[in-house]
Amino acid sequence: MSKIEATAFPQVRRSNYRFVVLTLIFIVYAVNYADRTNIGAVLPFIIDEFHINNFEAGAIASMFFLGYALSQIPAGFFIAKKGIRGAVALSVFGFSFFTWLMGTATSVLGLKWIRLALGLSEGPCPVGLASTINNWFPAKEKATATGVFIAATMFAPIIVPPLAVWIAVSWGWRWVFFSFAIPGMAIAVAWYLLVKTKPAESRFVSQSELDIIHADSGSDRAKPRQNLIMHPKFALLDRLIRVKKLAPIATAKGLFKSKNIIGDFLAYFMMVSVLYGLLTWIPLYLVQEKGFNFVNMSFVATMPCIGGLIGAISGGFISDKLLGRRRKPTMMFTAVSTVIMMLVMLNISGSTLAICAGLFMVGLCLNIGWPAFTAYGMAVADSKTYPIAASIINSGGNMGGFVSPMVAGYLLDKTGSFDAVFTWFGICAAIGLVLICLLDEPQ
C-alpha cells in the first residue's frame, strides 16, 4: 500500500480494554471476599479465646451481612446518580480499613460492631462492579463477564482457609486481619486511576470497542429488548421458563413494584443462605464432626470453592452461549442440584475422599446458576436503573447471609449435629426453586 493510500485509509486502533476492566473486577471482588470470609477460618480460634457458643459465633459472622444488606439500596441510588469510579474505590479502601480494625477487637461486642461496619463499607462494591459489567459489556457477553465476577467469590475462599490458618497458627488470629487489609489499599488506588464509569470516558477504549459494547443498545428504552437468541430448538424450553416480552423498567418505583425483581430478591435470599451458611460453618464441621485437624481442615475446606470457581465461570458461559442468554435454566439447575447435594451431605461417609468430592460438587452445583441471579436484573431493568435493581437483588441475598449463619449456629447448639444444618440448607434451596420458577424470562 502506498503512503497516499495509507493516509486515505488510516489504520483504526482496536482495543479490548473491557477485559482489563474485567480483570480488575475479579481482583477487587476476590479481595472483597477474602476480607469477609476469613472469619470462617478463624472462628475456632475466636470461640476458644472468648469462650462463646455456636450461636454467638454465628452472630459475629452474620453482623457483616446485616451491614451489607442495609447499605445495598442506598449504594444503588448513589451509584445510579454519581457513577461507579469513586464509589467503588472508596468502598475498597473502607472495607480494608475495617478489616484491619478486626484484628484490634478485644471483645465479642467489638467484633460484632466492626463486622457490621465492614458490611456497610463493602455494600457499594458489588453494586458498583455489577454496574461496571452492565456499562462495559455487550448483552452477548454480560453473563460470561458476570461469571468471571462471581468466580472471584470462589477463588478467594480457595486461598483464604490455608493462608488464614497458617497465619493464625504462626502469629495469632489477629494477624489474619492485619495481613488481609493491606492489598485493598493499593487496589483502591488502581481502580480509581484505571476504571471510568462509562467506557466512552476512558482514553484506553477505541471507537471500534465502543461499537462492540453498544451494539445491543436501543435508542428507545421503552421498547422491549431482543436479548434472547430465538430459535426453534428453544421452543419447548421457552414455554417451560415463561419467556415474555418485557419493557425494561426505567424507574426506581417500577423496580420496587416488579414481581420479577422482588422474586429474584427472594430467590437470591434463599440461595445465599446456603452459600454463606456453608462458607461460615464448613471449617467447624470438618474439625468437630469429621475429626480433621486445623491444617488438614484448611485444605479440605477449599473444595466447595474450587467447585464453585469452575461452576461460576462455566455457568455464565452456558447461559450466554449455549442457552441463548436465558438466565432461568441455570438458576433452576442450581436450586435442584443443591437440594440433591444436601441429601448427599446428610448421608456422606467419613472418608476424606468422599468428603472432598461431596464438598466439591456442592460448590459446583451452587455456582453454575450464580451469575444468572445478577445477569437476570440486567434484562429486567434499563441501564440507568440497573444499579438500583442490582442493589435490591443483592440486599435480598445478603439478608440471607445475615440470617443463615445464626440459624445454623442455633441448630448446632440445639441438636449438636450438622444434620439439622444441612436439612435447613436443603429447605432453603427448595424454596428458592419455587421462587425461580415463578419468574418471567425477559425476551
Side-chain angles (χ1 to χ4, degrees):
M1 182 182 289
S2 67
K3 290 184 178 180
I4 295 174
E5 289 174 317
T7 304
F9 302 100
Q11 292 287 321
V12 177
R13 182 177 67 90
R14 295 176 182 270
S15 67
N16 289 294
Y17 192 69
R18 66 191 184 280
F19 297 112
V20 175
V21 172
L22 185 59
T23 302
L24 274 172
I25 288 171
F26 181 90
I27 293 170
V28 167
Y29 214 35
V31 172
N32 180 297
Y33 252 70
D35 286 354
R36 79 174 70 167
T37 58
N38 52 24
I39 190 71
V42 301
L43 267 184
F45 299 93
I46 291 173
I47 290 170
D48 183 61
E49 179 169 328
F50 293 104
H51 307 292
I52 55 177
N53 60 26
N54 291 314
F55 177 80
E56 279 289 296
I60 294 171
S62 290
M63 288 302 290
F64 166 87
F65 296 102
L66 176 61
Y68 201 58
L70 291 174
S71 63
Q72 291 287 295
I73 293 175
F77 278 96
F78 180 84
I79 289 170
K81 185 175 182 179
K82 298 293 186 180
I84 296 160
R85 185 187 184 195
V88 172
L90 185 61
S91 174
V92 176
F93 185 87
F95 71 67
S96 300
F97 172 73
F98 286 110
T99 298
W100 179 278
L101 283 186
M102 281 289 292
T104 68
T106 56
S107 68
V108 173
L109 182 62
L111 285 169
K112 289 179 180 178
W113 279 112
I114 297 171
R115 283 284 290 180
L116 177 68
L118 180 68
L120 288 168
S121 61
E122 280 200 21
C125 191
V127 179
L129 298 180
S131 299
T132 303
I133 290 172
N134 198 41
N135 289 351
W136 278 77
F137 286 84
K140 65 182 180 180
E141 295 176 355
K142 286 186 192 295
T144 303
T146 304
V148 174
F149 163 46
I150 299 298
T153 69
M154 293 294 102
F155 174 76
I158 292 172
I159 299 172
V160 166
L163 180 60
V165 169
W166 175 69
I167 293 171
V169 169
S170 301
W171 294 290
W173 65 265
R174 297 177 187 280
W175 278 95
V176 172
F177 299 108
F178 297 149
S179 303
F180 277 52
I182 296 170
M185 305 291 183
I187 292 167
V189 176
W191 179 274
Y192 190 79
L193 293 176
L194 297 175
V195 181
K196 303 290 187 179
T197 294
K198 296 179 180 179
E201 299 169 352
S202 175
R203 63 187 177 90
F204 301 110
V205 179
S206 67
Q207 184 59 49
S208 61
E209 185 173 14
L210 284 176
D211 292 341
I212 292 171
I213 292 170
H214 298 306
D216 299 300
S217 299
S219 59
D220 185 353
R221 293 184 304 176
K223 293 180 181 179
R225 296 177 183 174
Q226 300 298 317
N227 276 339
L228 300 189
I229 298 173
M230 305 308 294
H231 192 282
K233 71 179 180 180
F234 294 123
L236 177 59
L237 177 63
D238 287 346
R239 286 196 295 272
L240 290 174
I241 63 175
R242 298 156 49 95
V243 170
K244 291 184 179 181
K245 289 185 178 181
L246 302 174
I249 300 170
T251 66
K253 182 179 179 181
L255 294 174
F256 284 99
K257 293 172 66 177
S258 168
K259 74 179 185 66
N260 291 314
I261 292 294
I262 299 304
D264 198 11
F265 163 98
L266 294 172
Y268 205 38
F269 173 95
M270 292 299 168
M271 299 312 300
V272 173
S273 292
V274 180
L275 179 65
Y276 286 126
L278 284 169
L279 290 178
T280 300
W281 289 108
I282 282 297
L284 201 65
Y285 163 75
L286 294 172
V287 171
Q288 288 191 353
E289 190 135 321
K290 297 301 180 182
F292 287 84
N293 61 39
F294 282 115
V295 174
N296 291 337
M297 171 276 288
S298 68
F299 289 101
V300 177
T302 65
M303 286 298 108
C305 305
I306 295 172
L309 179 67
I310 297 170
I313 294 175
S314 61
F317 178 84
I318 290 167
S319 180
D320 268 345
K321 306 301 183 184
L322 302 185
L323 294 172
R325 305 171 202 165
R326 287 156 180 80
R327 309 311 182 197
K328 280 182 63 177
T330 54
M331 294 161 72
M332 294 167 68
F333 173 84
T334 273
V336 172
S337 59
T338 298
V339 172
I340 294 170
M341 286 311 305
M342 291 305 103
L343 292 173
V344 170
M345 293 306 296
L346 284 169
N347 298 282
I348 201 164
S349 73
S351 77
T352 300
L353 180 61
I355 292 169
C356 286
L359 292 176
F360 175 88
M361 288 303 300
V362 167
L364 180 74
C365 293
L366 260 175
N367 282 274
I368 282 178
W370 216 256
F373 286 96
T374 300
Y376 178 83
M378 295 177 184
V380 177
D382 74 4
S383 60
K384 292 187 181 296
T385 58
Y386 176 70
I388 302 170
S391 69
I392 295 170
I393 295 165
N394 280 336
S395 65
N398 289 287
M399 284 306 295
F402 170 65
V403 171
S404 192
M406 287 193 294
V407 171
Y410 174 80
L411 291 171
L412 278 175
D413 285 335
K414 287 297 181 182
T415 67
S417 170
F418 274 86
D419 286 354
V421 175
F422 289 123
T423 301
W424 156 249
F425 293 155
I427 291 169
C428 288
I431 296 171
L433 174 62
V434 173
L435 292 165
I436 294 164
C437 289
L438 295 175
L439 300 175
D440 297 318
E441 180 75 58
Q443 182 176 316

